[in-house]
């Protein structure tokens, strides 16, 4: 069914009037993509999750870190190298910021809460509208998303599925009509046309909401799902709606978003530390925010906040803040509600996606309205701001490391004093990171290799520092009244060597390497003990940047062949034994 703004769907085709069927179509017609292997695995595993999580080791590691920090910080300020203030002051100020940032994260991670499952009973199904906003994504992925919606354990006649197409794609419209006759195909007004409430995705969603208001007034709940996100759990609707019906002040329920990625998830697209850790801590203080997909809204809550916000680049984070500061509740439910069929795995696309998230968050925290949020809620949201602002610390630590290699150090103290004060902080930080990097209810094998998974995540945190810093600066100078332009994330990977995009990371590596060689040749290196501060906060970042630069040629076939040969080559011992 094809609709434009102003059309009425109720008279011609009520929701769920026909269960979607698959027809062959003409030769060459676009077919739905096959289910992703991750989605298949999710459905095989089911939705059961532990309702208790051990928090003792995480809290013990947090206390250890707080104590070590309290011992370190006074010594750090009293041991400044007054002979090199141009080095010691930037390092100490930056290090103090890093320490305070870490302590805020420890505080935010102190308590995790897991909601009990509340499954909607058969026969109690309310009318639900599902909005799938599209804008020139591959048609086969969109068709698979729609197909997966109808595979859920939910009666089709209680679903209103709306594909809201900003791309005005006639192929998509035709195939939806052929394959899924009950789907409402909606074309929002053009971006600058009169009557459109917001640009980009928010404007698309608001146009679909206006259609729901006119045509489907009995809809009580609204799901939003990205165009390429197939349904994970077939019980998604019953699980989320059960929570919403239990708590009348619950505005939305967010679930886990998984992703189809390359082996090892080199770009950390699954975000396991976020979805299987941090979101549980947000449950404890009512600071959960929507992530745009795998998300169920109460319609009355959307009405209360004035629809999907259009002030920022994307609508998801701000819509949650608007609901929370009005006294609504948000909930994170640890089931897989969405599986991205495509994940960005080339540097330009990764920069675009992560840079948008950073710009959106920093802009909202600096210029948005947070009135009505409680202290602990604010602490969680400001923690997100610090996540991105900490990118500037990397840019201070690297020059400090280079200068230390030439003989200047930020502190004046004995080797024993260095070890006694810096050593516990280093050990406590690593212990705490290992404790927090225990993905909840993650059944994948990588769960058994926590440090390797943590290392890969840290590579992305550090490697994206230039992107986060740029986004933060743009958010600051743009102010509250100049919204930067939003671009849709590309749904195909561009596999080639993106050497230009890796230069912000490669140049510091080369500079530090050249300085290190010079220091070795000219014997300017201080003792390793005296280098310990800049080695940990500086050399660690260099190692992480090296790992990030290797992502610039991810996906190239010759690299994959070499890697396979290295893994398969026998060790000298095995070769001689044979």
């Amino acid at each position: 069914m094809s609709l434009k703004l102003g059309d009425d769907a109720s008279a011609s085709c009520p929701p769920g009037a026909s269960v979607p069927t698959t027809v062959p179509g003409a030769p060459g017609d676009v077919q739905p993509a096959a289910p992703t292997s991750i989605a298949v695995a999710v459905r095989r595993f089911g939705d059961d999750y532990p309702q208790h999580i051990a928090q003792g080791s995480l809290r013990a590691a947090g206390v250890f870190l707080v104590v070590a920090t309290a011992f370190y910080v006074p010594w750090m300020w009293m041991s400044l190298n007054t002979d090199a203030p141009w080095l010691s002051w930037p390092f100490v100020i930056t290090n103090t910021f890093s320490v305070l940032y870490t302590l805020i994260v420890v505080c935010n991670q102190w308590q995790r809460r897991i909601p009990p499952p509340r499954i909607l009973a058969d026969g109690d199904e309310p009318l639900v509208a599902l909005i799938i906003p599209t804008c020139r994504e591959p048609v086969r992925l969109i068709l698979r998303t729609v197909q997966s919606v109808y595979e859920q354990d939910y009666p089709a006649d209680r679903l209103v599925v709306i594909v809201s197409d900003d791309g005005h794609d006639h192929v998509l419209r035709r195939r939806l009509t052929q394959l899924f006759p009950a789907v409402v195909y909606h074309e929002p007004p053009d971006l600058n046309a009169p009557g459109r409430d917001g640009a980009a995705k928010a404007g698309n969603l608001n146009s679909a909401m206006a259609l729901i208001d006119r045509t489907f007034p009995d809809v009580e709940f609204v799901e939003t799902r990205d165009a390429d996100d197939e349904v994970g759990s077939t019980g998604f609707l019953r699980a989320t709606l059960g929570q919403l019906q239990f708590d009348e002040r619950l505005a939305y329920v967010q679930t886990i978003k998984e992703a189809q990625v390359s082996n090892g998830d080199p770009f950390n697209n699954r975000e396991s530390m976020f979805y299987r850790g941090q979101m549980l801590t947000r449950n404890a203080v009512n600071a959960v925010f929507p992530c745009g997909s795998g998300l169920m809204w109460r319609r009355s809550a959307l009405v209360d906040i004035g629809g999907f916000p259009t002030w920022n680049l994307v609508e998801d984070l701000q819509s949650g803040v608007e609901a929370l500061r009005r006294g609504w509740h948000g909930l994170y439910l640890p089931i897989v509600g969405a599986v991205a069929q495509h994940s960005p795995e080339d540097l330009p696309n990764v920069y675009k996606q992560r840079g948008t998230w950073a710009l959106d968050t920093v802009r909202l925290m600096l210029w948005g309205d947070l009135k009505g949020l409680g202290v602990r809620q604010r602490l969680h949201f400001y923690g997100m701001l610090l996540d991105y602002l900490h990118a500037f610390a990397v840019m201070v630590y690297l020059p400090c490391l280079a200068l230390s290699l030439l003989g200047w150090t930020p502190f004046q103290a004995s080797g024993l004093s260095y070890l006694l004060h810096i050593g516990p902080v280093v050990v406590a930080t690593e212990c705490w990171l290992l404790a927090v990097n225990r993905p909840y209810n993650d059944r994948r094998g990588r769960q058994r290799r926590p440090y390797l998974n943590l290392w890969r995540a840290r590579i992305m945190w550090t490697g994206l520092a230039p992107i986060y810093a740029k986004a933060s600066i743009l958010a600051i100078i743009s102010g509250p009244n100049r919204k930067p332009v939003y671009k849709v994330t590309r749904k195909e990977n561009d596999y080639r060597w993106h050497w230009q995009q890796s230069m912000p990371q490669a140049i510091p590596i080369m500079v530090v390497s050249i300085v290190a060689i010079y220091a070795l040749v000219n014997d300017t290196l201080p003792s390793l003990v005296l280098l310990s501060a800049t080695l940990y906060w500086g050399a660690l970042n260099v190692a992480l940047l090296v790992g990030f630069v290797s992502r610039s040629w991810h996906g190239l076939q010759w690299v994959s062949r070499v890697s396979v040969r290295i893994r398969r080559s026998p060790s000298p011992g095995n070769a001689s034994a044979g």
Side-chain angles (χ1 to χ4, degrees):
M1 172 169 34
S2 178
L3 293 176
K4 292 189 177 181
L5 191 66
D7 291 349
D8 187 348
S10 58
S12 57
C13 184
S18 58
V19 178
T21 58
T22 301
V23 296
D29 274 346
V30 180
Q31 297 295 331
T36 61
S37 59
I38 293 294
V40 172
V42 165
R43 296 177 182 188
R44 185 172 66 248
F45 287 145
D47 296 337
D48 292 339
Y49 56 86
Q51 296 183 43
H52 173 74
I53 183 171
Q55 304 184 66
S57 60
L58 179 61
R59 291 178 178 178
V63 171
F64 179 26
L65 182 54
V66 170
V67 172
T69 299
F71 185 58
Y72 167 70
V73 170
W75 172 86
M76 175 181 67
W77 280 95
M78 292 187 295
S79 303
L80 284 175
N81 185 353
T82 55
D83 294 333
W86 39 268
L87 167 64
S88 58
W89 277 104
F91 181 86
V92 168
I93 292 172
T94 303
N95 207 210
T96 301
F97 172 71
S98 294
V99 166
L100 292 175
Y101 162 64
T102 302
L103 293 180
I104 289 174
V105 175
V106 170
C107 178
N108 286 341
Q109 293 286 334
W110 187 257
Q111 182 181 5
R112 299 183 176 188
R113 186 176 75 84
I114 303 169
R118 297 184 173 94
I119 307 301
L120 184 71
D122 290 341
D124 293 337
E125 295 88 358
L127 186 62
V128 176
L130 165 60
I131 305 174
I132 303 175
T134 68
C135 186
R136 292 181 289 276
E137 290 86 358
V139 173
R140 61 187 181 84
L141 300 185
I142 301 172
L143 295 178
R144 172 56 200 158
T145 297
V146 175
Q147 185 181 55
S148 71
V149 167
Y150 285 109
E151 292 171 351
Q152 294 181 91
D153 175 22
Y154 205 82
D157 63 351
R158 304 304 293 163
L159 279 175
V160 178
V161 181
I162 302 172
V163 174
S164 188
D165 184 17
D166 261 333
H168 308 289
D169 189 332
H170 69 278
V171 174
L172 174 61
R173 177 176 56 192
R174 178 171 58 84
R175 291 302 283 155
L176 285 172
T177 301
Q178 293 173 340
L179 298 175
F180 309 102
V183 169
V184 177
Y185 177 84
H186 172 62
E187 294 184 275
D190 293 334
L191 294 183
N192 298 315
R196 181 170 177 123
D197 182 12
K201 183 180 174 183
N204 187 323
L205 291 170
N206 283 328
S207 179
M209 283 298 298
L211 173 66
I212 293 171
D213 291 340
R214 294 192 312 273
T215 312
F216 306 105
D218 295 333
V219 164
E220 299 179 56
F221 303 99
V222 177
E223 178 196 345
T224 61
R225 181 169 296 275
D226 288 347
D228 61 324
D229 284 359
E230 66 175 306
V231 175
S233 163
T234 56
F236 165 79
L237 287 171
R238 292 193 181 277
T240 55
L241 292 171
Q243 300 288 344
L244 284 159
Q245 290 197 340
F246 176 80
D247 181 0
E248 293 184 353
R249 291 300 298 169
L250 185 59
Y252 50 83
V253 179
Q254 176 64 53
T255 59
I256 297 171
K257 180 175 177 178
E258 273 287 359
Q260 188 70 31
V261 297
S262 299
N263 290 338
D265 190 14
F267 293 92
N268 196 34
N269 281 301
R270 284 174 172 161
E271 294 283 359
S272 60
M273 290 183 66
F274 173 75
Y275 282 112
R276 299 182 183 272
Q278 293 178 26
M279 289 293 268
L280 292 172
T281 68
R282 292 178 172 274
N283 263 345
V285 297
N286 191 29
V288 171
F289 62 88
C291 300
S293 193
L295 167 70
M296 183 68 73
W297 273 94
R298 186 185 302 275
R299 183 180 176 186
S300 59
L302 278 173
V303 172
D304 187 39
I305 67 173
F308 293 98
T310 62
W311 173 81
N312 219 356
L313 271 76
V314 291
E315 82 298 332
D316 41 17
L317 177 59
Q318 188 185 359
S319 64
V321 170
E322 294 297 329
L324 294 177
R325 71 187 194 89
R326 287 170 170 80
W328 288 94
H329 303 158
L331 183 74
Y332 164 71
L333 190 62
I335 65 170
V336 179
V339 177
Q341 300 175 69
H342 172 271
S343 299
E345 291 190 337
D346 61 78
L347 286 192
N349 215 20
V350 170
Y351 286 175
K352 182 269 152 194
Q353 183 191 65
R354 305 303 174 93
T356 298
W357 294 352
L359 177 55
D360 184 80
T361 301
V362 175
R363 188 169 184 265
L364 178 61
M365 294 301 107
L366 290 180
W367 307 110
D369 190 353
L370 304 182
K371 294 177 182 177
L373 294 180
V375 174
R376 295 195 66 186
Q377 288 174 313
R378 286 174 180 261
L379 200 60
H380 272 269
F381 285 110
Y382 283 134
M384 297 173 62
L385 171 65
L386 296 179
D387 286 342
Y388 294 118
L389 294 183
H390 196 258
F392 292 101
V394 175
M395 301 180 180
V396 175
Y397 288 139
L398 293 176
C400 289
L401 171 62
L403 292 170
S404 295
L405 294 173
L406 297 175
W408 294 291
T409 57
F411 304 130
Q412 288 178 326
S414 66
L416 179 61
S417 182
Y418 264 84
L419 289 177
L420 288 176
H421 292 86
I422 295 178
V425 171
V426 172
V427 173
T429 299
E430 295 302 312
C431 288
W432 186 81
L433 286 172
L434 274 174
V436 78
N437 184 45
R438 297 282 179 174
Y440 165 79
N441 200 32
D442 191 347
R443 295 160 177 161
R444 285 185 292 267
R446 66 192 180 92
Q447 185 180 14
R448 297 189 293 270
R449 297 177 293 171
Y451 199 84
L452 179 59
N453 184 41
L454 173 62
W455 182 256
R456 288 168 175 163
R458 292 169 83 171
I459 284 175
M460 293 303 296
W461 300 341
T462 303
L464 288 170
I467 309 306
Y468 293 157
K470 177 183 176 181
S472 300
I473 293 172
L474 184 58
I476 294 170
I477 63 177
S478 64
N481 299 319
R482 286 191 300 163
K483 182 171 71 173
V485 177
Y486 173 80
K487 295 181 180 179
V488 177
T489 303
R490 184 169 21 88
K491 301 304 178 185
E492 298 88 13
N493 290 321
D494 181 11
Y495 292 131
R496 54 192 172 95
W497 183 20
H498 296 281
W499 64 271
Q500 291 176 304
Q501 285 76 17
S502 66
M503 291 308 291
Q505 297 82 12
I507 290 175
I509 296 171
M510 291 186 287
V511 170
V512 171
S513 300
I514 292 171
V515 171
I517 294 171
Y518 175 88
L520 287 170
V521 172
N522 294 276
D523 197 25
T524 64
L525 285 173
S527 69
L528 287 178
V529 173
L530 298 181
L531 271 175
S532 58
T534 51
L535 276 178
Y536 179 66
W537 281 284
L540 175 63
N541 285 325
V542 172
L544 293 168
L545 289 177
V546 171
F548 187 86
V549 169
S550 70
R551 268 73 174 159
S552 66
W553 55 75
H554 171 76
L556 292 183
Q557 292 184 357
W558 69 267
V559 176
S560 301
R561 287 196 294 267
V562 170
S563 300
V564 169
R565 288 174 182 173
I566 292 174
R567 288 196 298 268
R568 291 179 177 175
S569 61
S571 64
N574 291 336
S576 61

